[in-house]
Amino acid sequence: MRGADRFSYGKNALEKSAQGINCGFREAFMTKRKLYLALQAVVCIALVVLLSLSAISIYREGSVRKAEHPLESIYTPEAVAEKFAPIAPLIVAGLGLLIVGIALGVKDERAGRETEDAALERDLAAARVARPSEAMLTERRRQKRVMWLGRGLFALCMTPVLVYLLNPAHFPEADLEGMFIGLIRVLLPWTAAGLGALAVCSVLAERSALRETQAARERMKEERAAGIAAGSKPLEPRKRTGMLQAVVIVAAIVLIIAGALNGSARDVLYKAITICTECVGLG
């Protein structure tokens, strides 16, 4: 082997070794970054849960104390310090993780990327197909069924909330705190269940849209091989914004009617009159 060949061979070997080392460091850094982000997420979730439980505990104990001694306050510095002292180390740990992440430049690479729209990619691919395949039609029907299922489950979960709001007995004038606690106990679980059902159905519909996109691409290859011209169908206008606006308007109307039926409108008017008369010195 000549000297030039030996030099070239050695150079290539060094470059491959350097690339291997870089790949190893990159993989190790990616693994540590994922572990760091997972740990930070766990700490944040734990903080939210513990802070919420501490706030609820302070309110309950303060309400009992206020019932015995009406002049005392529900939230006192002593009660807050007692409940939040055990959480302080976790708060410090969370801040330390944040500082370390900022110093090392660790961040989620997906944060700066544009969100992929599976439905838009599906529509773009389907528009280039002259004649949809059976797999494409099956996936499209599945998406419609899944989305209607999610909407139906959400409406079913909201039914107990609506029934609760329409019952005037759940809104006593003498016990406002009990009224709010009862409303939260009914509203939060059913709303969370309804939103969870919508989220699951949205994920299933998105996966089905991805499968339809793949089927459309395979169909394009078949049509291209058969000499069939690509389709040029115009994209249908998106109706998500209109649907969302309609849902919000309907929900607002339902809540206004529920508030009027359970006596909330009368209470608001009475409080407004009382505030006005007190301001001018008549109350």
Side-chain angles (χ1 to χ4, degrees):
M1 183 178 294
R2 294 179 298 178
D5 294 337
R6 292 178 180 177
F7 177 77
S8 178
Y9 178 79
K11 181 180 179 181
N12 292 335
L14 288 175
E15 289 179 354
K16 290 181 180 179
S17 299
Q19 291 176 358
I21 294 173
N22 290 334
C23 290
F25 279 122
R26 190 180 298 109
E27 292 178 357
F29 177 75
M30 293 292 291
T31 302
K32 291 180 179 179
R33 183 181 64 83
K34 291 180 180 179
L35 291 175
Y36 168 81
L37 293 175
L39 180 60
Q40 191 178 40
V42 170
V43 171
C44 290
I45 294 173
L47 278 175
V48 171
V49 173
L50 292 176
L51 289 173
S52 301
L53 293 177
S54 298
I56 294 173
S57 177
I58 292 173
Y59 176 79
R60 288 181 175 179
E61 294 178 2
S63 299
V64 174
R65 188 173 59 254
K66 188 175 180 63
E68 298 175 355
H69 306 283
L71 297 180
E72 292 189 7
S73 176
I74 295 178
Y75 301 97
T76 61
E78 294 78 9
V80 173
E82 179 184 357
K83 295 297 180 181
F84 285 92
I87 312 176
L90 189 59
I91 296 175
V92 174
L95 292 175
L97 285 174
L98 180 61
I99 294 172
V100 170
I102 294 175
L104 297 179
V106 179
K107 61 180 181 180
D108 191 354
E109 294 181 352
R110 296 174 296 179
R113 298 179 182 177
E114 295 183 359
T115 304
E116 297 180 358
D117 193 339
L120 179 59
E121 293 182 2
R122 174 205 63 194
D123 295 339
L124 290 173
R128 299 177 60 186
V129 174
R131 186 176 180 181
S133 63
E134 186 62 29
M136 293 174 60
L137 297 176
T138 301
E139 292 297 338
R140 184 63 64 94
R141 289 192 293 266
R142 181 178 290 115
Q143 293 163 36
K144 292 181 179 180
R145 290 196 297 266
V146 168
M147 291 309 299
W148 278 112
L149 176 63
R151 294 164 186 164
L153 291 175
F154 181 78
L156 185 63
C157 291
M158 290 297 101
T159 301
V161 177
L162 184 60
V163 173
Y164 185 89
L165 292 175
L166 293 176
N167 190 353
H170 295 149
F171 299 91
E173 298 181 1
D175 187 11
L176 293 179
E177 294 181 359
M179 178 189 69
F180 282 115
I181 292 175
L183 181 62
I184 290 174
R185 286 177 178 175
V186 174
L187 184 63
L188 288 183
W190 286 110
T191 303
L195 293 177
L198 280 178
V200 171
C201 291
S202 297
V203 171
L204 295 177
E206 183 178 357
R207 293 181 177 179
S208 178
L210 294 175
R211 290 193 297 268
E212 183 183 351
T213 302
Q214 184 63 29
R217 291 171 180 170
E218 294 176 357
R219 182 63 175 173
M220 282 189 288
K221 293 179 181 179
E222 295 176 357
E223 292 180 347
R224 192 181 301 111
I228 302 175
S232 58
K233 303 175 185 178
L235 292 179
E236 297 180 358
R238 311 297 290 274
K239 300 180 180 180
R240 291 184 178 180
T241 304
M243 179 66 70
L244 180 60
Q245 291 176 350
V247 170
V248 172
I249 292 174
V250 171
I253 294 174
V254 170
L255 291 176
I256 291 173
I257 295 174
L261 293 178
N262 62 30
S264 297
R266 183 187 66 255
D267 295 339
V268 172
L269 178 61
Y270 174 77
K271 293 176 182 178
I273 294 172
T274 304
I275 292 174
C276 293
T277 54
E278 288 178 354
C279 288
V280 296
L282 298 178

